[in-house]
Amino acid sequence: MASLGFLFFFLLPLILLELSSSRSVMAAKTRHFKWNVEYIHWSPDGEESVVMGINGQFPGPTIRANTGDTVAVHLTNKLHTEGVVIHWHGIRQIGTPWADGTAAISQCAINPGETFLYRFKVDKAGTYFYHGHYGMQRSAGLYGSLIVEVGEGEKEPFHYDGEFNLLLSDWWHKGSHEQEVDLSSNPLRWIGEPQTLLINGRGQYNCSLAAQFSKPPLSLCKLRGGEQYAPEILRVRPNKIYRLRVASTTALASLSLAIGGHKMVVVEADGNYVQPFSVQDMDIYSGESYSVLFKTDQDPTKNYWISINVRGREPKTPQGLTLLNYLPNSASKFPTSPPPIAPLWNDYNHSKSFSNKIFALMGSPKPPPQNHRRIILLNTQNKIDGYTKWAINNVSLVLPTTPYLGSIRYGINAFDAKPPPDNFPKDYDVLKQAPNSNSTYGNGVYLLKFNTTIDIILQNANALAKDVSEIHPWHLHGHDFWVLGYGEGKFSEKDVKNFNLKNPPLRNTAVIFPFGWTALRFVTDNPGVWAFHCHIEPHLHMGMGVVFAEGVHLVKKIPKEALACGLTGKMLMSNKHN
């Protein structure tokens, strides 16, 4: 097991460095990529499916760049009948809001046969990823990793000898288009739990790498070389420190990650350094990313399991597994111990304990002491004309045909003029079923004053069924926010005194637990129009999101390709002036 001495080993350089590092002495680069998005036949878990790939591969290519670099992706839509966009998850798009990759918010969908240039700067080192943000194309497999290294001449505030990158996802054998129809049906046809959990796009369906430990026994996978679903083995040498970058692009599943016999020390969350802390296992919700360090200090004659398990939903999906292979052992030498035992799926105290250990690294930016505006967002499951939807403050989001960015910038009335409410009725009981479950559709925008401090309270509530409240991971585009705290039940003014203003972590994704609330704070310093939504794909599809606009009058030179869709888009293009 990792020792306290190991923790101190890299805590010491953190204390000494205090985030001070020499500035880059090398000029930043522009990194060009040419991508074709298309449907391909693939076997993510041993069962052939049609998946969305990039340049004939799944998951898409990993982008690696350095802080200060410009990434230029020439994206061509090779799909025959549908548009496409890609969101660069965690990249703030400062000065390039049209490159955020949100259909109907920051840009028009890229039509079949068309090419769009995503050109943006990566301004902060960290672990990120990208994914489709049109319809449910993330569920179809449109995703990949995006790693930003520190600039030349700069140093990370911790030491490691090597690194690995794990992109976690879930997989259904039913296609995403059929899932969309199911979710839009009356009555609702829920998509169900995924068939497989994937690690770097690889999983095993209807068999188990750990078959000898299964009760009842399962068939053992035949791990033939070159298979698209054969696990990606992590090969390590004894007595080294490794960085494990982990990001979750799951469509539904919240996950628990563990490495058999090894402690993990968390050092980064969503591209921001955190005070290191040690765990046996860690929760990771859709949209989150982490870096952990682990030391290969176990018996070097053995190999060990790396496992992911479902959290927050009754697990009906087998755990995902791969191997930590201690060289020179053969990778075919299976571990002698079973995979790590996951926490109970509904042990929320375990999950909350992990979240409450995450604090910003000493020397990180602190939040402003006061807010200028507070918006409380009530998450509810509702009915509209018999259809099951999710709503925020009783409004279920539907997007307009013309992107908000262009329509606000050029004064085109393409969405509801009335903004959504900043709060919900004071007498609403979040612990009980709503007496009236009916909701309405809407596409109004929260207009935020530029360069002000905004507090968001995410308030969870009872769903349609009695005593049911779900985990929701919320992701904010264009910003990082400070997580000021979590609470049980209904948020009230007395909870403000318990906000953490000393060392709250900076994140771009935060979870709200069942029947609880989460408090966030951010500064409106990035001109643009930004989505804020639950990162669970079916929940967003069913209306669980809002839109923020700030300083849009400051946005210049929006590419025409990002604007010209919908009738109002054509009007806008005929009168466009920059």
Side-chain angles (χ1 to χ4, degrees), residues 331-347:
S332 62
K333 182 179 182 180
F334 275 31
T336 56
S337 300
I341 298 174
L344 291 176
W345 68 272
N346 57 356
D347 184 354

Side-chain angles (χ1 to χ4, degrees), residues 82-349:
E82 62 190 290
V84 69
V85 296
I86 288 186
H87 169 55
W88 314 94
H89 187 108
I91 305 302
R92 292 177 294 178
Q93 300 295 347
I94 297 172
T96 53
W98 54 83
D100 189 48
T102 46
I105 297 176
S106 63
Q107 70 169 111
C108 301
I110 307 163
N111 289 323
E114 293 182 348
T115 298
F116 184 84
L117 172 60
Y118 287 104
R119 187 181 180 92
F120 54 89
K121 195 174 197 177
V122 289
D123 65 319
K124 191 171 58 167
T127 304
Y128 307 102
F129 61 101
Y130 61 85
H131 59 82
H133 215 293
Y134 181 63
M136 291 180 61
Q137 292 180 343
R138 177 157 55 95
S139 294
L142 184 53
Y143 46 74
S145 293
L146 198 169
I147 306 300
V148 182
E149 309 275 7
V150 293
E152 296 288 340
E154 297 181 347
K155 294 181 180 179
E156 300 270 20
F158 42 79
H159 163 78
Y160 54 96
D161 300 304
E163 75 170 56
F164 301 98
N165 180 44
L166 299 184
L167 185 62
L168 311 180
S169 55
D170 41 15
W171 189 250
W172 284 257
H173 293 161
K174 179 182 286 189
S176 61
H177 292 148
E178 189 174 350
Q179 289 184 35
E180 288 184 38
V181 173
D182 288 348
L183 293 169
S184 302
S185 296
N186 184 7
L188 170 74
R189 297 188 183 186
W190 179 241
I191 63 172
E193 302 305 306
Q195 274 67 64
T196 316
L197 300 178
L198 305 181
I199 300 175
N200 289 347
R202 297 163 176 261
Q204 293 79 40
Y205 173 66
N206 202 28
C207 63
S208 173
L209 291 177
Q212 65 267 43
F213 303 107
S214 302
K215 294 179 182 180
L218 299 174
S219 59
L220 188 65
C221 293
K222 297 178 181 179
L223 304 180
R224 298 184 295 274
E227 293 281 5
Q228 294 170 344
Y229 60 92
E232 195 169 295
I233 308 298
L234 276 61
R235 293 177 170 85
V236 297
R237 300 228 173 246
N239 296 311
K240 300 289 185 183
I241 297 174
Y242 290 90
R243 179 181 190 170
L244 186 63
R245 298 180 182 268
V246 190
S248 175
T249 186
T250 55
L252 175 65
S254 302
L255 301 173
S256 173
L257 170 74
I259 307 173
H262 296 71
K263 284 185 179 178
M264 300 177 290
V265 178
V266 182
V267 293
E268 177 218 342
D270 294 352
N272 296 285
Y273 297 126
V274 300
Q275 282 296 121
F277 64 97
S278 178
V279 291
Q280 292 288 147
D281 59 78
M282 58 181 286
D283 281 9
I284 180 167
Y285 303 100
S286 178
E288 291 187 327
S289 64
Y290 292 94
S291 283
V292 300
L293 302 181
F294 67 93
K295 189 173 183 181
T296 50
D297 55 1
Q298 298 302 294
D299 185 346
T301 66
K302 297 180 179 179
N303 293 331
Y304 300 86
W305 295 113
I306 298 173
S307 66
I308 53 174
N309 293 270
V310 171
R311 302 283 290 134
R313 306 181 69 85
E314 186 173 358
K316 298 176 182 177
T317 308
Q319 64 187 156
L321 293 170
T322 191
L323 285 172
L324 185 68
N325 173 210
Y326 270 62
L327 298 173
N329 298 328
S330 168
S332 62
K333 182 179 182 180
F334 275 31
T336 56
S337 300
I341 298 174
L344 291 176
W345 68 272
N346 57 356
D347 184 354
Y348 295 116
N349 287 332

